Amino acid sequence: MAAAGSDPWRVGFVGAGRMAEAIAQGLIRAGKVEAQHVLASAPTDRNLCHFRALGCKTTHSNQEVLQTCSLVFFATKPHILPAVLAEVAPVVTSEHILVSVAAGVSLSTLEEPPSGQLLPPTARVLRVSPNLPCVVHEGAMVIARGRHAGSSEAEFLQTLLEACGQCEEVPEAQVDIHTGLSGSGVAFVCTFSEALAEGAIKMGMPSGLAHRIAAQTLLGTAKMLLQKGQHPAQLRTDVCTPSGTTIYGLHALEQGGLRAATMSAVEAATCRAKELSRK
């Protein structure tokens, strides 16, 4: 946020999809920025109406966002981003902090794409990799900074994004791993939650109740791991008793190869993210 007595930060969004809306909503509800100081652009009103419902300002001009806001999130589809950068480049200044939310687009591509320099050579560029739970302000995000973004910009962005969940700075090489672990991991966890519930349904529990309890079990376990700082193995051990129900269930999971399958899923998703980044 701006220092006391200075003008408030104005935050812009080029692209107004679900992730952009989730970040804007998190910043506003946490009091990090006032809705009237948020400006979002998109080609049509289809998504901009969600920003207007939050009290934000909207436009169809990407350049207007850069001319109005110092901190700008680029939340377009990856294949559209190069054209958008070329469009706004003439109005980018040294005052801007530019943050890409586009999956698979490297910092080097943002700073100096193969087609030639688009942004000013000293542009302060960062990359953020969010995941879908940002929508409920429980996201897991990582940020990586470009050549001309310093620790102050990274810390500022990290502080802002913590309104949407957990946010940590990492080397860019770990961003694709985050995609495999946390971006794709949402689907892996949902698959496990569904399987847990279906096991209970098989044993006679009503479907709705089983799915609610499975989801709450995942939520409660995650909170314990984060708040207590325990290694998962410790909490797992705490739940096990000799000849009890849990060790019998864990034996069945090991027979099914749960660990190996999960590790392979993260590896496969990470490799695919790296492949898309190269393309």
Side-chain angles (χ1 to χ4, degrees):
M1 295 296 291
S6 64
D7 292 334
W9 273 89
R10 297 184 182 277
V11 179
F13 290 87
V14 175
R18 193 174 187 189
M19 197 60 68
E21 180 193 351
I23 293 173
Q25 189 179 84
L27 298 181
I28 293 166
R29 290 188 175 175
K32 303 280 188 178
V33 65
E34 294 182 26
Q36 63 183 344
H37 295 145
V38 174
L39 176 63
S41 67
T44 70
D45 285 333
R46 185 166 63 93
N47 291 326
L48 291 178
C49 60
H50 301 301
F51 276 81
R52 287 196 285 270
L54 292 171
C56 305
K57 297 177 180 178
T58 63
T59 179
H60 296 303
S61 169
N62 295 332
Q63 284 199 355
E64 184 182 348
V65 174
L66 275 292
Q67 290 165 336
T68 305
C69 305
S70 300
L71 173 65
V72 180
F73 289 89
F74 290 87
T76 67
K77 298 290 186 184
H79 68 279
I80 296 173
L81 187 55
V84 171
L85 291 177
E87 177 191 351
V88 302
V91 293
V92 173
T93 72
S94 59
E95 300 299 313
H96 284 107
I97 299 175
L98 309 177
V99 183
S100 171
V101 187
V105 181
S106 68
L107 286 167
S108 61
T109 299
L110 294 167
E111 293 178 322
E112 193 168 355
S115 58
Q117 189 82 44
L118 293 177
L119 299 174
T122 58
R124 295 181 292 173
V125 179
L126 299 99
R127 183 180 171 191
V128 59
S129 176
N131 70 345
L132 193 57
C134 286
V135 172
V136 292
H137 317 305
E138 292 292 350
M141 296 159 283
V142 295
I143 61 173
R145 51 175 133 145
R147 289 175 295 174
H148 303 291
S151 58
S152 59
E153 287 85 8
E155 289 168 7
F156 171 65
L157 181 61
Q158 189 173 351
T159 299
L160 281 181
L161 290 178
E162 282 173 351
C164 304
Q166 184 185 49
C167 183
E168 299 193 29
E169 184 181 359
V170 299
E172 188 181 19
Q174 295 180 15
V175 172
D176 288 334
I177 302 173
H178 174 267
T179 299
L181 170 62
S182 189
S184 300
V186 172
F188 306 156
V189 171
C190 285
T191 300
F192 182 64
S193 181
E194 184 181 19
L196 275 179
E198 287 175 344
I201 293 166
K202 179 181 179 181
M203 300 311 295
M205 182 175 283
S207 176
L209 178 61
H211 283 288
R212 288 195 301 275
I213 291 178
Q216 183 62 38
T217 301
L218 294 177
L219 175 64
T221 304
K223 282 190 172 183
M224 288 184 71
L225 290 172
L226 289 172
Q227 291 176 6
K228 292 180 176 248
Q230 288 181 309
H231 191 282
Q234 181 59 56
L235 182 54
R236 186 194 69 217
T237 300
D238 291 345
V239 177
C240 285
T241 54
S243 296
T245 61
T246 304
I247 194 63
Y248 272 72
L250 286 172
H251 187 200
L253 289 176
E254 294 291 354
Q255 287 177 318
L258 176 70
R259 286 171 184 261
T262 304
M263 292 170 67
S264 294
V266 174
E267 180 182 11
T270 299
C271 290
R272 180 56 176 163
K274 290 180 183 293
E275 180 182 331
L276 292 173
S277 294
R278 287 193 295 270
K279 290 181 180 180

